[in-house]
Amino acid sequence: MQPDVSFVIAAYNAGATLDRAIAGAMAQRDVSVEIIVVDDRSSDRTLDVARAYPEDIVKIVALPANRGPGGARNAGLDLARGRWVAVLDSDDAVLPGRLAAMIARAEKAGAEIAVDNVQVVREDGTPDDIMFPASYLEALGEISLAGYIAGNVVFESRFNLGYLKPIFLRRFLDENRLRYDETLRIGEDYILLASALAKGGRCVVEPTTGYVYHIRTGSISRVLELHHVEAMAKADAAFAAAHSMDDSARTAFARRSRSLRKAASFLSLVQHIKARAPLKAIRTALSDPAAVRHMGMPIAVRLRRVAAQFAVGAGR
């Protein structure tokens, strides 16, 4: 029988957290699931953890070479048999009623995509905030392409719509040849959902909380570097070339593009200060004052600390 949902779990050195992700997928109520774990050439015990489960419960794909998060997820999507597919990060979890609620809302609306709210958990295991106020998601109802792009402007908020973890009707992904961009290490989720919306997919919002996002020090999604932003800008340019957008989407896209340019300048400034190259840092600041304005953003705490260390070193 075809399962209702295929969970795709891309795992790289996830031996310490993979059990939690698999347990959440197995505990789903009122839907049938298949679980696909794709080991992205881990160097720890990730494969041993996955292989401890019976093969009829957890299917394992061991990649011969590291393909990154997008490539590992694509390998799982290519094997998925479920009517719906749900991507689950190997260090996160899902609550038992999540998929039933999302599928019910999507099928009632005739939508191909659904998202829900996210619980944030600190590294010490204590719950933090719910990512979005339930009232906001209830009022939102559905996410358009323009709204999604506008909700992914870099550095303007602690969390943006790019953190949402959608489920997709698998047939829709396959018919439109939609897969993750394997060149991206950050932002691959954004491009896939934006592409699905540009292809005419409808995305409904389930306001209840079903996905549990665990903050982890050193997680690639929490450490934004210049080369990540440059890759995101390149992917955005390819997206604009491949898809048509209405006026509101084009306006949002232009705003996001400006934010990526500002972010690139800011992170270039960070690199110059870390490299103790004050003249280059000054030139960057003078050429793009927006880079300096990012000093007020949360990520700029790192820059202030680096700058303070530089000042101490210079005084010795």
Side-chain angles (χ1 to χ4, degrees), residues 239-271:
F239 171 85
H243 303 289
S244 61
M245 293 180 277
D246 61 20
D247 288 345
S248 58
R250 281 195 294 271
T251 298
F253 184 84
R255 182 179 165 211
R256 173 177 157 85
S257 297
R258 287 193 298 271
S259 79
L260 288 173
R261 288 194 295 271
K262 292 176 183 179
S265 294
F266 170 71
L267 293 169
S268 179
L269 181 59
V270 171
Q271 283 192 356

Side-chain angles (χ1 to χ4, degrees), residues 270 273-276 301-311:
V270 171
I273 291 178
K274 284 183 176 180
R276 301 197 173 191
V301 172
R302 289 194 300 159
L303 177 55
R304 293 196 190 100
R305 289 174 179 170
V306 172
Q309 292 169 358
F310 175 78

